Amino acid sequence: MAKSPATGPRGRDKGQRAAPELSKAQIVETGLRLIDEEGLQGFSVRSVAKALGCYPTAIYWYTPSRHFLIAEIVTIILRDVVPTAELEWQDWLRALLTRYRAAIARHPNAAPLIGVNLVSNASVDVDLLEGLLTKLHQAGFRDDTLIDAYNAVVGAMVGFTTQEFAMEPPDADDLQGYLKGFPAGIDAARHPMLARMAGPMMGRSFILRWQNGATRPMDGAFALYVDAFVAGLEALLSRADR
């Protein structure tokens, strides 16, 4: 009996060719477009294949899994976040956080993907890693403290922006109606500051909003956040020099 043709790990025949019109760049760009247009719920290897007019198995010739495809998409989103090397370390960090936020603002539906994929993403541009380590070393961080400072910057870069551009709830209209009536129900004797500030905070503050940063950006809070973070690093270095 003749043997069946040998197949690869996903059932592909050896020697089988992917559709010649496909490319890795085209696949990644299509995945990002689907996320931008339809959100994460509209993104899958199958949906990318459908948009490209091919079978899902053809996609796997270019990327081994959905995780690796997402990693490539994240890399495209973040490709312009690294500031120029000529900046002083404080201004470099401010520019990094600002450029990262701008990149997410261009693709807000991808915000939930970023933190997860920066846990381990070998496809991230190494210029980002090298630039960050170099600037923190120039600032004065060394050895274990350099690693701690590196982790703190990545956390600062991702944290505020991920929260700002978190997905809007599916019942945003109902939530808006509920929150607009929230200030009137506050017991001013027990929570005087909240009673005083709840009105101005409605729709503008974490927890008390129904829109994300794509519709209502938090520019002032972000600027304060960046300045406070950089000032904190400066204070730590000053304390270490005493």
Side-chain angles (χ1 to χ4, degrees):
M1 180 182 294
K3 293 183 178 179
S4 300
T7 59
R10 289 182 173 80
R12 300 178 304 214
D13 291 344
K14 285 185 175 180
Q16 179 183 347
R17 300 289 182 182
E21 67 274 11
L22 286 181
S23 69
K24 187 175 183 179
Q26 186 181 14
I27 292 168
V28 173
E29 289 167 3
T30 300
L32 179 56
R33 177 176 60 79
L34 289 174
I35 291 172
D36 286 343
E37 293 177 354
E38 303 180 23
L40 296 180
Q41 67 275 12
F43 168 77
S44 66
V45 171
R46 186 173 297 277
S47 67
V48 171
K50 182 178 180 180
L52 290 170
C54 66
Y55 290 107
T57 49
I59 304 297
Y60 289 121
W61 277 100
Y62 298 90
T63 182
S65 70
R66 181 178 184 274
H67 171 78
F68 279 89
L69 176 54
I70 290 173
E72 294 287 349
I73 291 172
V74 170
T75 300
I76 293 297
I77 293 171
L78 302 184
R79 62 187 166 190
D80 296 322
V81 303
V82 182
T84 179
E86 288 73 24
L87 295 173
E88 294 295 324
W89 72 268
Q90 297 96 327
D91 290 334
W92 193 93
L93 290 181
R94 290 189 182 95
L96 175 66
L97 271 61
T98 301
R99 291 163 72 97
Y100 175 86
R101 179 175 179 251
I104 301 304
R106 289 191 291 270
H107 306 283
N109 289 339
L113 294 174
I114 306 296
V116 173
N117 281 274
L118 288 184
V119 170
S120 178
N121 186 352
S123 68
V124 166
D125 188 349
V126 294
D127 288 344
L128 171 61
L129 311 186
E130 176 66 18
L132 179 51
L133 288 170
T134 298
K135 288 301 176 182
L136 290 173
H137 189 270
Q138 290 176 0
F141 292 101
R142 299 289 185 272
D143 304 321
D144 287 347
T145 307
L146 175 58
I147 298 174
D148 290 340
Y150 167 89
N151 288 333
V153 173
V154 173
M157 181 178 75
V158 175
F160 185 101
T161 299
T162 298
Q163 179 72 8
E164 181 183 6
F165 291 95
M167 289 187 294
E168 293 184 0
D171 56 347
D173 290 341
D174 293 339
L175 180 60
Q176 178 180 359
Y178 167 76
L179 285 177
K180 284 188 173 180
F182 175 72
I186 298 171
D187 184 341
R190 294 183 60 191
H191 306 109
M193 281 301 301
L194 182 58
R196 175 183 173 187
M197 295 301 301
M201 290 174 70
M202 287 299 104
R204 300 173 52 199
S205 308
F206 291 134
I207 304 174
L208 301 176
R209 62 181 183 150
W210 49 90
Q211 298 168 309
N212 66 13
T215 304
R216 191 159 190 174
M218 297 178 166
D219 295 339
F222 179 76
L224 188 151
Y225 171 79
V226 172
D227 284 343
F229 181 76
V230 174
L233 292 180
E234 290 177 318
L236 287 172
L237 290 167
S238 177
R239 187 190 311 166
D241 289 339
R242 292 176 186 171

